[in-house]
Amino acid sequence: MSRNLRLLVIALAALLGAFLLVVVAFGIDRAVHSGDVLRNVVVEETDLSGMNSDEALAALQAFEDELVTTPARFQLNGSTITLDPATVGFSLDEAAATEAAMKVGRSGSIFKQFGWWWTHLFTDEVLELPVSLDDAAFSKVAGDWSTEHISDPPFDGAIVIEGAAAVAEYPRAGRRVDIDSAAVVVLETLAVRDREVGALEIESASPALTR
């Protein structure tokens, strides 16, 4: 066997050996994490790597407790507002987040799973935190913000008693918190541990009309 051929065989053997080592490492890693969240899987700021479903659920519940009990601040029309997350029904779906984390890196063919494992040896897979607000509670809080921090909120009209007479106060248009964009800002602000002051937008609005 010529020297060049011998070197080629050695190089190919080394490559094959390295490949087999990687495959064995993949198999061992999967065996070790059977029934657990795979390595480098993070839900927002909570690293669930190596946790079983019960441990992951408990970690996310603890994270939710921290988020719900930590006030957040917002800017509206030049005023700074402090919000207790519980008053808008802020919550985290820990069960859905745990289920999603358990599935990461396990879908598709074995080749696809190997590709995921290889590309995430040193990088995190960060999953979005499934959070929500209670629509009715948030609408009430946003309405209070409009009344307290905006000088000309919409007025739906009313009948007031002045002495013995009933006097009509007519509806009028005005400005209020943009509820749709505010809901997005509030959710994004509440969903992280290190919170910045969220900026709330104002929109023009007509009074509610009833028959």
Side-chain angles (χ1 to χ4, degrees):
M1 181 182 295
S2 68
R3 181 173 180 277
N4 289 341
L5 181 58
R6 194 163 54 247
L7 291 174
L8 178 61
V9 171
I10 293 172
L12 290 175
L15 287 174
L16 179 60
F19 175 73
L20 289 176
L21 283 174
V22 170
V23 171
V24 170
F26 169 69
I28 292 174
D29 191 60
R30 283 305 168 98
V32 168
H33 291 95
S34 176
D36 297 336
V37 178
L38 297 179
R39 67 172 68 246
N40 295 332
V41 176
V42 178
V43 176
E44 194 62 47
E45 301 175 69
T46 305
D47 188 351
L48 303 182
S49 303
M51 296 184 183
N52 61 37
S53 58
D54 290 338
E55 292 168 338
L57 189 65
L60 290 170
Q61 287 172 337
F63 185 49
E64 180 187 33
D65 290 343
E66 181 180 350
L67 296 180
V68 171
T69 56
T70 304
R73 294 188 302 154
F74 300 89
Q75 282 286 333
L76 173 62
N77 200 31
S79 299
T80 299
I81 300 170
T82 299
L83 173 68
D84 176 357
T87 61
V88 292
F90 175 75
S91 64
L92 189 166
D93 190 339
E94 302 96 340
T98 299
E99 182 179 358
M102 293 293 293
K103 291 180 178 178
V104 171
R106 290 190 165 95
S107 61
S109 68
I110 190 65
F111 301 104
K112 184 177 180 181
Q113 293 180 43
F114 176 81
W116 184 92
W117 174 81
W118 178 255
T119 57
H120 289 83
L121 282 175
F122 304 106
T123 59
D124 291 338
E125 176 85 10
V126 181
L127 304 182
E128 184 176 344
L129 197 66
V131 292
S132 62
L133 304 174
D134 180 275
D135 291 340
F138 180 70
S139 293
K140 180 182 183 306
V141 169
D144 292 341
W145 287 344
S146 296
T147 301
E148 296 168 7
H149 301 284
I150 300 175
S151 60
D152 56 341
F155 178 63
D156 296 338
I159 301 294
V160 296
I161 303 300
E162 294 183 359
V167 179
E169 293 189 354
Y170 295 101
R172 59 178 180 270
R175 298 180 304 149
R176 67 182 181 191
V177 173
D178 184 338
I179 294 180
D180 292 337
S181 68
V184 173
V185 171
V186 169
L187 268 179
E188 290 177 347
T189 302
L190 297 183
V192 296
R193 181 179 287 113
D194 297 323
R195 294 170 175 167
E196 298 182 354
V197 178
L200 303 176
E201 297 182 359
I202 296 173
E203 66 176 354
S204 298
S206 299
L209 299 179
T210 57
R211 295 184 177 181

